[in-house]
Amino acid sequence: MSAHIGDDAALYALGALEPHEIAAVEAHASACAACSRLLAQAEADVAAMAAAQRQLTPPPELAERIFATPDAPTPLRRSVSRASWIGALAAAIALALVPTAYFYEQSVAMHDAMLADANAMARVASSPHRRVAFTGQNASVMYAPDGSWYVVVIRGAKHPMHVTWAHDGEQTMLGTAVPHGDVAMLYLPKSHRMDQLAIMSGGRVVGQAQLVF
Amino acid sequence: MQAPLDDEALATAFASKERWAFEEAYTRFGTLLYSTAYHVLGNAEDAQDCVHDAIARVWRSPDAYNRARGALRSFLTVCVRNEAITRLRAKARRTRLHERVAAEPQEHDEIAIVDVVEHDRLRAALNRLPIEQRQPLELAYFEQKTHVEIAAHLDVPLGTIKSRIALGLRKLGTALGGAR
Ligand SMILES: [Zn+2]
């Protein structure tokens, strides 16, 4: 293995290495636990310097660009094209939905969300469920009485919002509700009952729902 | 009300490429990342491009970040800062090429000038360092010079400069509470 990085950790974190020296530091640190820790410490120190300077609010369009970043193409993730199954399901689901009162409740924007999460809607339309509103947010959750699935619908959502399960003083992240039109929806197939859900934005709880089983 | 998810849980989820963690990381650290880029590049548009490109590259690369690399917040901050420095140097090269005279004036948005109060916190901490550590650290941090340039500028051997910068940085980090 190459020499330990030593003081170069600080230079790397400060951006003060010569360009041709950078790759060697990265390569060594990725294979050496001690140097990786050294680098982490130097990076924490530089971050502390950065945080001690005046903080500026980023323009909102930056968030939009960031959130639009596609995932790296890895075979493990949901690389199955959404379009393919949506197309197939959409017809069947439209039929399943028509007779239900649920369908008529939905706004036009909801229609987009339905297409995006077609199997969630099929679930809601075809099985008995309960519905509870969130406090603090124009949102509701529909869920199976046995806790086998949950659908969280957030209205007027401008950005993706995270949905968490609050239990034993902790928050477990369940997923992100992404807006289509101005409705954000998240379908959660589960095998257990979750009696307290929260909606989070910017690291804070902005809505809560108490479910009854 | 419940405590928000801690940075540890976020870092773990980010390392395993969970989509919500990518978005939450920006939500949580976006201000620091944008400010970091802004302070190096000096204008909003370049800062935006820099943050976007740096974060997107980390996210799309399969193993850029793992938990051994420490706190996600500092890892991303350094990624963004190093990206900003690379851009600044490229821009400087282009500027030299087109000759200084013909180059457009550096736009500094109004915000950069008001940058006093928090900046003072960093200044105050720097001022408590011995001068032989403070000087090279300032040249690296505020003027984005490399250690070779700093050694030449201060006329001090390379090895000595490196150890002074490393020592100064660690002291400063401790003074600013940079343990996290
Ligand atoms: Zn090592």
Coordinates of all heavy atoms in Angstrom, one line a residue, chain A residues 32-75:
Chain A
C32 N -7.5 2.5 3.4 CA -6.9 2.5 4.7 C -7.8 3.2 5.7 O -8.1 4.4 5.6 CB -5.6 3.3 4.6 SG -4.8 3.6 6.2
A33 N -8.2 2.4 6.7 CA -9.2 2.9 7.7 C -8.7 4.1 8.5 O -9.4 5.1 8.7 CB -9.6 1.8 8.6
A34 N -7.4 4.0 8.9 CA -6.8 5.1 9.7 C -6.8 6.4 8.9 O -7.2 7.5 9.4 CB -5.4 4.7 10.1
C35 N -6.4 6.4 7.7 CA -6.3 7.6 6.8 C -7.7 8.1 6.5 O -8.0 9.3 6.3 CB -5.5 7.4 5.6 SG -3.7 7.2 6.0
S36 N -8.7 7.2 6.4 CA -10.1 7.5 6.1 C -10.6 8.4 7.3 O -11.3 9.4 7.1 CB -10.9 6.3 5.9 OG -12.2 6.6 5.4
R37 N -10.2 7.9 8.5 CA -10.7 8.7 9.7 C -10.0 10.1 9.7 O -10.6 11.1 10.1 CB -10.3 7.9 11.0 CG -11.3 6.9 11.3 CD -11.1 6.4 12.8 NE -9.8 5.8 13.0 CZ -9.6 4.5 12.7 NH1 -10.5 3.7 12.2 NH2 -8.4 4.0 12.9
L38 N -8.7 10.1 9.4 CA -8.0 11.4 9.3 C -8.6 12.3 8.3 O -8.8 13.5 8.6 CB -6.5 11.1 8.9 CG -5.4 12.0 9.3 CD1 -5.3 12.0 10.8 CD2 -4.1 11.5 8.7
L39 N -9.0 11.8 7.2 CA -9.7 12.6 6.2 C -11.0 13.1 6.7 O -11.4 14.3 6.5 CB -9.8 11.8 4.9 CG -9.9 12.5 3.6 CD1 -8.7 13.4 3.4 CD2 -10.0 11.5 2.5
A40 N -11.8 12.2 7.3 CA -13.1 12.6 7.9 C -12.9 13.8 8.9 O -13.7 14.7 8.9 CB -13.7 11.4 8.5
Q41 N -11.9 13.7 9.7 CA -11.7 14.7 10.7 C -11.3 16.1 10.0 O -11.9 17.1 10.4 CB -10.5 14.3 11.6 CG -10.2 15.4 12.7 CD -11.4 15.6 13.6 OE1 -11.9 14.7 14.4 NE2 -12.0 16.8 13.5
A42 N -10.4 16.0 9.0 CA -10.0 17.2 8.3 C -11.2 17.8 7.6 O -11.4 19.1 7.6 CB -8.9 16.9 7.3
E43 N -12.1 17.0 7.0 CA -13.3 17.5 6.4 C -14.2 18.1 7.3 O -14.9 19.1 7.0 CB -13.9 16.4 5.6 CG -13.1 15.9 4.4 CD -13.7 14.8 3.5 OE1 -14.6 14.1 4.0 OE2 -13.4 14.7 2.3
A44 N -14.3 17.5 8.5 CA -15.2 18.1 9.6 C -14.7 19.5 10.0 O -15.4 20.4 10.2 CB -15.3 17.2 10.8
D45 N -13.4 19.6 10.0 CA -12.8 20.9 10.4 C -13.0 22.0 9.3 O -13.4 23.1 9.6 CB -11.3 20.8 10.6 CG -11.0 19.9 11.9 OD1 -11.8 19.8 12.7 OD2 -9.8 19.4 12.0
V46 N -12.9 21.6 8.1 CA -13.1 22.5 7.0 C -14.6 22.9 6.9 O -15.0 24.1 6.7 CB -12.7 22.0 5.6 CG1 -13.2 22.8 4.5 CG2 -11.1 21.9 5.6
A47 N -15.5 21.9 7.2 CA -16.9 22.2 7.2 C -17.3 23.2 8.4 O -18.1 24.1 8.2 CB -17.7 20.9 7.4
A48 N -16.5 23.1 9.5 CA -16.7 24.0 10.6 C -16.3 25.4 10.2 O -17.0 26.4 10.6 CB -16.0 23.5 11.8
M49 N -15.3 25.5 9.4 CA -14.9 26.8 8.9 C -16.0 27.4 8.0 O -16.4 28.6 8.1 CB -13.6 26.7 8.1 CG -12.3 26.5 8.9 SD -10.8 26.3 7.9 CE -10.4 28.0 7.7
A50 N -16.4 26.5 7.1 CA -17.5 27.0 6.1 C -18.7 27.4 6.9 O -19.4 28.4 6.5 CB -17.8 25.9 5.1
A51 N -19.1 26.7 7.9 CA -20.3 27.0 8.7 C -20.1 28.3 9.5 O -21.1 28.9 9.9 CB -20.7 25.9 9.5
A52 N -18.9 28.7 9.7 CA -18.6 29.9 10.5 C -18.6 31.2 9.6 O -18.4 32.3 10.1 CB -17.3 29.8 11.3
Q53 N -18.8 31.0 8.3 CA -19.0 32.1 7.4 C -20.5 32.4 7.3 O -21.3 31.6 7.6 CB -18.4 31.8 6.1 CG -16.8 31.8 6.1 CD -16.2 31.6 4.7 OE1 -16.2 30.5 4.2 NE2 -15.8 32.7 4.2
R54 N -20.8 33.6 6.7 CA -22.2 34.0 6.5 C -22.9 32.9 5.7 O -22.4 32.5 4.6 CB -22.2 35.3 5.9 CG -23.7 35.8 5.7 CD -23.7 37.1 5.0 NE -25.0 37.4 4.5 CZ -26.0 38.0 5.2 NH1 -25.7 38.4 6.5 NH2 -27.2 38.2 4.7
Q55 N -24.1 32.5 6.1 CA -24.8 31.5 5.4 C -25.9 32.2 4.5 O -26.6 33.1 4.9 CB -25.5 30.6 6.3 CG -24.5 29.8 7.2 CD -23.6 28.9 6.4 OE1 -24.0 27.9 5.8 NE2 -22.3 29.3 6.3
L56 N -25.9 31.8 3.2 CA -26.8 32.4 2.2 C -27.9 31.4 1.8 O -27.6 30.2 1.6 CB -26.0 32.8 1.0 CG -24.7 33.6 1.2 CD1 -23.9 33.6 0.0 CD2 -25.0 35.0 1.7
T57 N -29.1 31.9 1.7 CA -30.2 31.0 1.3 C -30.1 30.6 -0.2 O -30.0 31.5 -1.0 CB -31.5 31.6 1.6 OG1 -31.5 32.0 2.9 CG2 -32.7 30.7 1.3
P58 N -30.0 29.3 -0.5 CA -29.9 29.0 -1.9 C -31.2 29.4 -2.7 O -32.3 29.3 -2.1 CB -29.7 27.5 -2.0 CG -30.0 27.0 -0.6 CD -30.0 28.2 0.3
P59 N -31.1 29.7 -3.9 CA -32.3 30.0 -4.7 C -33.2 28.8 -4.9 O -32.6 27.7 -5.0 CB -31.8 30.5 -6.1 CG -30.3 30.1 -6.1 CD -29.9 29.9 -4.7
P60 N -34.5 28.9 -4.8 CA -35.4 27.7 -4.9 C -35.2 26.9 -6.1 O -35.4 25.6 -6.0 CB -36.8 28.3 -4.8 CG -36.7 29.8 -4.9 CD -35.3 30.2 -4.7
E61 N -34.8 27.5 -7.2 CA -34.6 26.6 -8.4 C -33.5 25.6 -8.3 O -33.5 24.6 -9.0 CB -34.4 27.5 -9.7 CG -33.2 28.4 -9.7 CD -33.5 29.8 -9.2 OE1 -34.5 30.0 -8.4 OE2 -32.9 30.7 -9.7
L62 N -32.6 25.9 -7.3 CA -31.5 24.9 -7.1 C -32.1 23.6 -6.6 O -31.7 22.5 -7.0 CB -30.4 25.4 -6.2 CG -29.3 24.5 -5.9 CD1 -28.6 24.0 -7.1 CD2 -28.2 25.2 -5.0
A63 N -33.0 23.7 -5.6 CA -33.7 22.5 -5.1 C -34.4 21.7 -6.2 O -34.3 20.5 -6.2 CB -34.7 22.9 -4.0
E64 N -35.0 22.5 -7.1 CA -35.7 21.8 -8.2 C -34.7 21.0 -9.0 O -35.0 19.8 -9.4 CB -36.5 22.8 -9.0 CG -37.8 23.2 -8.4 CD -38.3 24.5 -9.0 OE1 -38.1 24.7 -10.2 OE2 -39.0 25.3 -8.3
R65 N -33.6 21.6 -9.3 CA -32.6 20.9 -10.1 C -32.0 19.7 -9.4 O -31.8 18.7 -10.0 CB -31.4 21.9 -10.5 CG -31.8 22.9 -11.5 CD -30.6 23.9 -11.7 NE -29.4 23.3 -12.2 CZ -28.3 24.0 -12.3 NH1 -28.2 25.2 -11.9 NH2 -27.2 23.4 -12.9
I66 N -31.8 19.9 -8.1 CA -31.2 18.8 -7.3 C -32.2 17.6 -7.3 O -31.8 16.5 -7.5 CB -30.9 19.2 -5.9 CG1 -29.9 20.4 -5.9 CG2 -30.4 18.1 -5.0 CD1 -28.5 20.0 -5.9
F67 N -33.5 17.9 -7.0 CA -34.5 16.9 -6.9 C -34.7 16.2 -8.2 O -35.2 15.0 -8.2 CB -35.8 17.4 -6.3 CG -35.7 17.8 -4.9 CD1 -36.5 18.8 -4.3 CD2 -34.7 17.2 -4.0 CE1 -36.4 19.2 -3.0 CE2 -34.6 17.6 -2.7 CZ -35.4 18.6 -2.2
A68 N -34.4 16.8 -9.3 CA -34.6 16.2 -10.6 C -33.4 15.3 -11.0 O -33.5 14.7 -12.0 CB -34.8 17.3 -11.7
T69 N -32.4 15.2 -10.2 CA -31.2 14.4 -10.5 C -31.6 12.9 -10.5 O -32.2 12.4 -9.6 CB -30.1 14.6 -9.4 OG1 -29.8 15.9 -9.3 CG2 -28.9 13.8 -9.8
P70 N -31.4 12.3 -11.7 CA -31.7 10.8 -11.7 C -30.8 10.0 -10.8 O -29.6 10.4 -10.6 CB -31.6 10.5 -13.2 CG -30.8 11.5 -13.8 CD -30.8 12.7 -12.9
D71 N -31.2 8.8 -10.4 CA -30.3 7.9 -9.7 C -29.3 7.3 -10.6 O -29.6 7.2 -11.8 CB -31.2 6.8 -9.1 CG -32.0 7.3 -7.9 OD1 -31.7 8.4 -7.4 OD2 -33.0 6.7 -7.5
A72 N -28.2 6.8 -10.1 CA -27.3 6.1 -10.9 C -27.9 4.8 -11.3 O -28.7 4.2 -10.6 CB -26.0 5.8 -10.0
P73 N -27.6 4.4 -12.6 CA -28.2 3.2 -13.0 C -27.6 1.9 -12.4 O -26.6 1.5 -12.8 CB -28.0 3.2 -14.5 CG -26.8 4.1 -14.7 CD -26.7 5.0 -13.5
T74 N -28.2 1.4 -11.4 CA -27.7 0.2 -10.8 C -28.8 -0.9 -10.9 O -30.0 -0.6 -10.8 CB -27.4 0.3 -9.3 OG1 -28.5 0.7 -8.6 CG2 -26.3 1.4 -9.1
P75 N -28.4 -2.2 -11.1 CA -29.4 -3.2 -11.4 C -30.4 -3.5 -10.2 O -31.5 -3.9 -10.4 CB -28.6 -4.4 -11.7 CG -27.2 -4.1 -11.2 CD -27.1 -2.6 -11.3

